[in-house]
Amino acid sequence: MKSINDIKISTKLILIGMFFIVPMATLFYMSILPLLTSIKARENRIELIQVIRPVTLLFELLPQHLRIRSELEDGDIKEVELKIEEQLAILDAKGFHSFSADWVEIKTQNMNNWRTLLRMYVEYMNTSITTLKQLEEDDVLLSVNDLASYYFADLSLDKIPNLAIRVVNIGNIVRAAVFRSRSEGKNANQEAIKFLLENRLKELGDNLNLLRNAEHREVREAFLNGVANLQLNDSHRKNATIQLNSQLEIYTIAFQKFTDDMDEFIRKEKKITDINEIVKNTSQVYIAIGNLWNSTLDEIEFLLNVMLDEDRKEIYVRIAITTAVVLLAILVVLFTSYSIHKSSKNLQTVFSSLSNHDLSVTVDAQSRDEFGELTIAFNDFLADLREIFETFKKNANLVTDAVYDLSASAREISATANEQSAGVQEIVATMEGNKNLSEQVALKTTEVADIAGDMQNLIAKGAALRDANQRLVQEIRDQNNKIIDEIKNVDVMISRIAESTKDIDHIAEQTKLIAFNASLEAAGSGESGARFGVVAKEIRKFSDNVAESTKEIKAQIYEAKKAAQVLIGEANNGSRRIEHGYERMNEQKAVFEEIVSNAQNVAARNMQISNLSKQQEYASSQIFETLKEIGTGVRQFVIATNSSSKIADSLNEMSEKLKNAIERYKTRAE
């Protein structure tokens, strides 16, 4: 399997273009997804309208069925039932099955039980209203994005059904009066009118007021607002406005006649002798409401279809734009791939020619992109390369001649170097004998210098020892003088101690006298002074002891002073002997200083001779080493000249090969 590096650039570009289509397709899908969702929602709303239409027809057919069944209106009841069942079948197909079940009960109900029948009719229509209310709560049809559609949807799901129920309630009041009169076996027409005037007038009036001031007003306002907010093109808006206003006018006329007649009946301004007149007006209102209802549904359906067409057109436009962009991208990728392939093909042709030693080729710059710049730079490089090869061809012979001359010179230099090497070897042999003699002379002079140095060291040690003895005698003399001074000081201190013993004797006599007086006082004090007498006795005993100790100290002081005088005499005799020895040491010092000076002169002269011998030896060795290095250098030079000769021969051979190799390259077009 090929790696990414093995794929050609043009193929890579095509693959990149293909990968580019994937995010574009994703973006296209994300851009049309809201439109697809909107189309689906609008189609669902159009489908919902197909559910509401049967309900509007049921609102019109059920009162008609009741009027025909109660013989308040002439007509074919079977035909009406067939129409009702057709609408119920449509509702069943849409999933609303409860309508059919309730209808079977109404259809089979006995007319004698007229109260239940009327209640069932009303409940059936209320169930229809509840279904429409549920649709309104689910916001299925009201989720529109323009006011006209909103108003018409609100009319279809809420306001017109409420209006229809109100008219049904008024009609049921009239029908209930008719059924009651019939059940009592009276003249249904007259008794029904009488019953209404006597018992149901207020109820009729309340329903009529609600109909006029609430449901009718709301329907009219919402209808007019819907017409006013139509946002279509001028031609359709004009036609739609005319048709809708026409339906509103028809409804308004029927409604106005119905309400005016009912007002006159309620106020008893108009005498009605036939109850069917009220029923007929009610039927006319039913028909007008149904037509108005269908008009709103038609307009909603038309508006939804218009929006649906706009969404579909928008999708088609986006598909067209996306397709155009993708095709353009594919064309750009293909053109770019072709251009790159063409440029790379030209370069491949040039490199094939270069591999065949043809430098005369050039590449045509067919574009101004990076490949064009690369082509121009490559042509410049080939031009420089051709110029270099031309120069090589011109200078190849010159190089060959120069290398040949160099080889001949190297051989001559090699012969001369061999002769010089032999002469240098003879000089080295002579200098080696001279070097050995110099080493022996340097060795002997070094031995003499070492002996002189040893003698100088011995003399120096003797002088140092004499100096040490002189310093020791000086220290002894100084120490002896210090001892004499200390002994004299001790004698002085002994004299002072003798003086101090006299003071101690005096103090002891005074203490003894004080102790005697204290004893006398204690004896005179009687028993209270007994303890004080004991203390005085002890003090006197202490003073006696002090006097006895003082005597002993005086005797010892005398002995010490006598010994100090003897020491002073002996010390003075030793000092005189030390002074005599110190004078002899000074005489020895002068003799040793003269010996040391002579020894130093001898050693210096020997050291100079030794240094000169060493310098001569070093110079001889340096000359010898230099001659050896010269010999080595000459030998290396001989080797180098031989190598140079061989290299020159090799260069000569290489220059021939280079010349032949350059001749293979074609630098000019033939």
Side-chain angles (χ1 to χ4, degrees), residues 582-640:
Y582 185 74
E583 291 176 355
R584 292 292 179 87
M585 292 296 293
N586 286 331
E587 293 175 358
Q588 291 177 2
K589 179 180 179 182
V591 173
F592 267 100
E593 285 178 353
E594 186 175 356
I595 293 171
V596 169
S597 177
N598 293 330
Q600 288 176 349
N601 290 330
V602 172
R605 297 293 185 276
N606 288 327
M607 184 60 66
Q608 289 177 359
I609 294 170
S610 177
N611 289 334
L612 291 174
S613 298
K614 288 181 179 180
Q615 290 177 2
Q616 183 181 2
E617 179 189 2
Y618 178 73
S620 298
S621 63
Q622 287 294 104
I623 293 170
F624 177 70
E625 292 296 330
T626 303
L627 288 173
K628 286 175 67 177
E629 290 177 358
I630 291 171
T632 303
V634 170
R635 287 193 298 274
Q636 290 178 352
F637 180 70
V638 171
I639 295 171

Side-chain angles (χ1 to χ4, degrees), residues 254-381:
F255 180 82
Q256 192 65 40
K257 187 177 185 308
F258 170 72
T259 55
D260 289 346
D261 289 345
M262 290 301 297
D263 278 339
E264 291 177 357
F265 175 74
I266 292 170
R267 289 195 300 269
K268 302 178 181 180
E269 295 177 356
K270 180 180 181 180
K271 185 176 181 180
I272 298 176
T273 59
D274 190 359
I275 195 67
N276 289 327
E277 185 178 350
I278 298 176
V279 175
K280 182 180 179 181
N281 290 337
T282 305
S283 300
Q284 294 297 325
V285 173
Y286 276 137
I287 295 171
I289 291 173
N291 292 333
L292 188 65
W293 201 346
N294 285 320
S295 297
T296 59
L297 291 175
D298 290 340
E299 190 60 29
I300 292 174
E301 186 174 3
F302 179 80
L303 292 173
L304 289 174
N305 283 319
V306 170
M307 296 174 188
L308 196 60
D309 291 339
E310 290 177 353
D311 289 341
R312 287 171 178 165
K313 289 179 181 178
E314 181 68 20
I315 289 178
Y316 296 150
V317 170
R318 293 188 183 184
I319 290 174
I321 293 174
T322 305
T323 304
V325 171
V326 171
L327 291 176
L328 181 62
I330 292 173
L331 290 175
V332 170
V333 170
L334 291 176
F335 177 76
T336 306
S337 301
Y338 173 74
S339 177
I340 293 174
H341 177 72
K342 189 175 180 180
S343 299
S344 61
K345 194 69 177 178
N346 291 335
L347 289 175
Q348 185 178 2
T349 303
V350 171
F351 283 116
S352 297
S353 300
L354 291 177
S355 65
N356 293 325
H357 310 105
D358 187 3
L359 300 178
S360 62
V361 295
T362 57
V363 185
D364 294 334
Q366 299 177 351
S367 61
R368 295 184 179 180
D369 55 5
E370 288 81 355
F371 277 100
E373 294 176 355
L374 179 62
T375 301
I376 294 172
F378 190 71
N379 285 332
D380 294 339
F381 169 73

Side-chain angles (χ1 to χ4, degrees), residues 81-334:
E81 288 178 353
L82 182 61
K83 291 180 180 179
I84 290 174
E85 289 171 358
E86 287 177 355
Q87 305 308 315
L88 292 175
I90 295 173
L91 291 173
D92 283 339
K94 302 296 183 182
F96 297 91
H97 305 291
S98 60
F99 289 93
S100 297
D102 294 340
W103 164 248
V104 173
E105 271 188 58
I106 294 173
K107 184 179 178 182
T108 57
Q109 183 66 38
N110 194 340
M111 282 296 297
N112 293 328
N113 194 2
W114 58 271
R115 288 186 177 85
T116 303
L117 184 62
L118 287 177
R119 180 179 54 77
M120 292 177 67
Y121 269 103
V122 172
E123 288 179 354
Y124 190 81
M125 298 187 75
N126 283 329
T127 301
S128 302
I129 293 295
T130 303
T131 302
L132 296 177
K133 293 285 186 183
Q134 185 62 43
L135 295 176
E136 181 183 16
E137 290 176 1
D138 293 341
D139 200 24
V140 177
L141 194 59
L142 291 177
S143 300
V144 291
N145 54 4
D146 66 285
L147 287 174
S149 299
Y150 174 82
Y151 283 121
F152 289 133
D154 189 32
L155 283 168
S156 300
L157 296 175
D158 182 43
K159 291 181 171 49
I160 292 179
N162 291 335
L163 178 67
I165 286 294
R166 182 67 63 187
V167 174
V168 168
N169 288 336
I170 294 173
N172 284 342
I173 293 172
V174 175
R175 283 187 286 272
V178 173
F179 292 155
R180 184 178 180 281
S181 299
R182 286 179 181 176
S183 65
E184 293 176 355
K186 300 177 182 179
N187 187 337
N189 191 28
Q190 295 298 323
E191 288 298 325
I193 293 172
K194 182 180 178 181
F195 179 79
L196 289 174
L197 292 174
E198 292 177 356
N199 299 297
R200 307 298 294 274
L201 205 61
K202 184 178 184 307
E203 186 178 357
L204 280 173
D206 291 341
N207 278 280
L208 189 63
N209 287 331
L210 288 172
L211 178 65
R212 179 189 295 113
N213 298 322
E215 286 88 1
H216 169 70
R217 178 177 295 176
E218 290 177 356
V219 168
R220 184 175 177 82
E221 289 178 356
F223 199 89
L224 292 173
N225 287 330
V227 173
N229 284 281
L230 285 174
Q231 296 179 355
L232 302 170
N233 57 67
D234 292 339
S235 61
H236 175 80
R237 177 170 182 170
K238 184 177 180 181
N239 294 331
T241 303
I242 292 172
Q243 292 176 4
L244 292 172
N245 286 333
S246 175
Q247 291 296 331
L248 181 62
E249 186 65 24
I250 293 171
Y251 157 74
T252 303
I253 292 171
F255 180 82
Q256 192 65 40
K257 187 177 185 308
F258 170 72
T259 55
D260 289 346
D261 289 345
M262 290 301 297
D263 278 339
E264 291 177 357
F265 175 74
I266 292 170
R267 289 195 300 269
K268 302 178 181 180
E269 295 177 356
K270 180 180 181 180
K271 185 176 181 180
I272 298 176
T273 59
D274 190 359
I275 195 67
N276 289 327
E277 185 178 350
I278 298 176
V279 175
K280 182 180 179 181
N281 290 337
T282 305
S283 300
Q284 294 297 325
V285 173
Y286 276 137
I287 295 171
I289 291 173
N291 292 333
L292 188 65
W293 201 346
N294 285 320
S295 297
T296 59
L297 291 175
D298 290 340
E299 190 60 29
I300 292 174
E301 186 174 3
F302 179 80
L303 292 173
L304 289 174
N305 283 319
V306 170
M307 296 174 188
L308 196 60
D309 291 339
E310 290 177 353
D311 289 341
R312 287 171 178 165
K313 289 179 181 178
E314 181 68 20
I315 289 178
Y316 296 150
V317 170
R318 293 188 183 184
I319 290 174
I321 293 174
T322 305
T323 304
V325 171
V326 171
L327 291 176
L328 181 62
I330 292 173
L331 290 175
V332 170
V333 170
L334 291 176

Side-chain angles (χ1 to χ4, degrees), residues 396-461:
N397 293 326
L398 296 177
V399 172
T400 303
D401 295 338
V403 170
Y404 179 78
D405 295 339
L406 178 63
S407 177
S409 298
R411 285 192 292 271
E412 293 177 0
I413 293 171
S414 177
T416 304
N418 287 326
E419 294 175 357
Q420 292 177 353
S421 177
V424 170
Q425 290 296 329
E426 293 177 0
I427 296 172
V428 169
T430 303
M431 288 303 299
E432 187 173 4
N434 188 20
K435 174 177 174 295
N436 293 330
L437 292 174
S438 298
E439 288 178 353
Q440 292 178 4
V441 172
L443 181 61
K444 297 301 181 181
T445 54
T446 301
E447 291 177 357
V448 173
D450 291 338
I451 293 171
D454 292 339
M455 184 180 69
Q456 182 182 1
N457 291 333
L458 290 174
I459 294 170
K461 287 180 180 179

Side-chain angles (χ1 to χ4, degrees), residues 517-519 521-522 525 528-537:
N517 291 331
S519 298
E521 290 293 329
S525 298
S528 59
R531 293 181 180 179
F532 186 71
V534 174
V535 173
K537 184 177 179 181

